[in-house]
Amino acid sequence: MRRLRKFRRLTSATRRIAADLIARALVSNGFRPQHHTTFPIADGTYGDHEGPALSLLILGDSIAASLGTSTVDETLGAQCAATLSHATSRPVHLRVLARPGTTTGFMKHQLRKALRHPHPPGIALIIVGGNDIVAGTPLRLAAKNLAHHVTQLRQAGWHVLVGTCWDVGHVPAVRHWLRTPLSRRSRRLEHLQTTAVRRAGAVAIPLRDPRHSTQPELFAADRIHPSAHGNALHLQALTGALTGALTPGPARLGG
């Protein structure tokens, strides 16, 4: 039993060292997405419908913030808000709290703002995880932090959707020799996120797609973040959960 505990500690330490080496290798090869911080501000009300507006919050990292796009219409937030407004025949009030470079742990600052949101709770969409892969965050800790954020939002009355970690190994800017270890970590985090999110009463939507490795037009000029086409692909994955989030009965989020 003592040997088993030592083995587990050794395995954990080995994983942390490997994650740190991957993070250092990424930085040394110029993979610094946190240095690019400009993105269109998509906050506002979408749809010409009458009646009370539905609140939509976007939390997470640069993928959620739509870094890499050049106009509001290209952002994932605007596309989600327009889709939701059309599906519900209600205006949608969008606020994007997501910021580039955010890890799951650092998302707590966005959460504080979300819990002080002046409008009635609606739908909160979280996309986070890529920076945890790059930064070498212990993956179980990242999943635990995510579950904590989801629980707080659910307790405050929000319907929560989580776009799980995509495959960072498919990002064109990543050197070839780093693709396999990054893909393995990405898939592991995706699995941990999915389990944690479902246990916390939210819906997990996979954003990993094999087309990311074969269609360069899905990425912006920095070869790291999604282009408008990439955001449209993510929207395809999210649409069903977005439009079904407020549906009564078994399809209702967390129901």
Side-chain angles (χ1 to χ4, degrees):
M1 193 68 182
R2 185 176 299 174
R3 288 182 179 179
L4 179 59
R5 285 196 295 268
K6 286 183 178 179
F7 176 76
R8 285 176 176 170
R9 286 197 295 269
L10 177 62
T11 301
S12 178
T14 302
R15 287 176 178 171
R16 287 196 297 270
I17 292 170
D20 182 65
L21 290 174
I22 289 172
R24 290 174 184 270
L26 283 166
V27 171
S28 66
N29 279 279
F31 191 86
R32 298 182 178 91
Q34 68 272 22
H35 288 185
H36 311 281
T37 57
T38 302
F39 58 94
I41 304 301
D43 293 8
T45 301
Y46 291 76
D48 298 325
H49 305 287
E50 299 292 334
L54 172 64
S55 294
L56 173 63
L57 293 183
I58 310 288
L59 303 95
D61 56 21
S62 55
I63 306 299
S66 294
L67 187 63
T69 57
S70 56
T71 68
V72 168
D73 290 342
E74 293 177 345
T75 66
L76 182 61
Q79 292 183 31
C80 285
T83 297
L84 193 57
S85 176
H86 178 75
T88 61
S89 297
R90 294 174 60 181
V92 173
H93 182 83
L94 170 69
R95 187 176 182 194
V96 179
L97 299 175
R99 291 295 181 268
T102 297
T103 61
T104 308
F106 196 71
M107 217 185 81
K108 62 186 178 182
H109 302 291
Q110 298 176 23
L111 196 69
R112 293 193 191 104
K113 293 180 181 179
L115 297 177
R116 296 197 301 265
H117 192 59
H119 300 282
I123 298 174
L125 170 63
I126 300 173
I127 301 176
V128 73
N131 290 305
D132 292 290
I133 297 296
V134 174
T137 305
L139 301 187
R140 289 188 180 276
L141 176 61
K144 181 179 179 180
N145 287 334
L146 179 59
H148 176 71
H149 302 328
V150 169
T151 298
Q152 286 192 283
L153 287 168
R154 293 282 293 140
Q155 290 175 347
W158 290 89
H159 299 278
V160 183
L161 310 176
V162 177
T164 55
C165 184
W166 66 338
D167 194 332
V168 180
H170 284 169
V171 173
V174 170
R175 298 295 178 90
H176 184 270
W177 65 278
L178 285 168
R179 295 188 184 278
T180 297
L182 284 175
S183 289
R184 287 174 179 168
R185 277 179 59 79
S186 298
R187 291 178 183 233
R188 176 61 177 162
L189 181 56
E190 178 190 24
H191 172 74
L192 292 171
Q193 285 180 328
T194 300
T195 301
V197 164
R198 288 175 177 171
R199 287 177 178 172
V203 170
I205 305 108
L207 298 183
R208 177 168 53 87
D209 193 296
R211 285 172 284 187
H212 287 137
S213 63
T214 60
Q215 299 182 18
E217 67 272 16
L218 296 176
F219 291 88
D222 63 6
R223 300 175 64 241
I224 296 173
H225 298 96
S227 63
H229 295 296
N231 285 331
L233 182 63
H234 286 164
L235 180 66
Q236 290 178 21
L238 295 167
T239 295
L242 272 173
T243 57
L246 302 178
T247 302
R252 181 172 178 169
L253 183 63

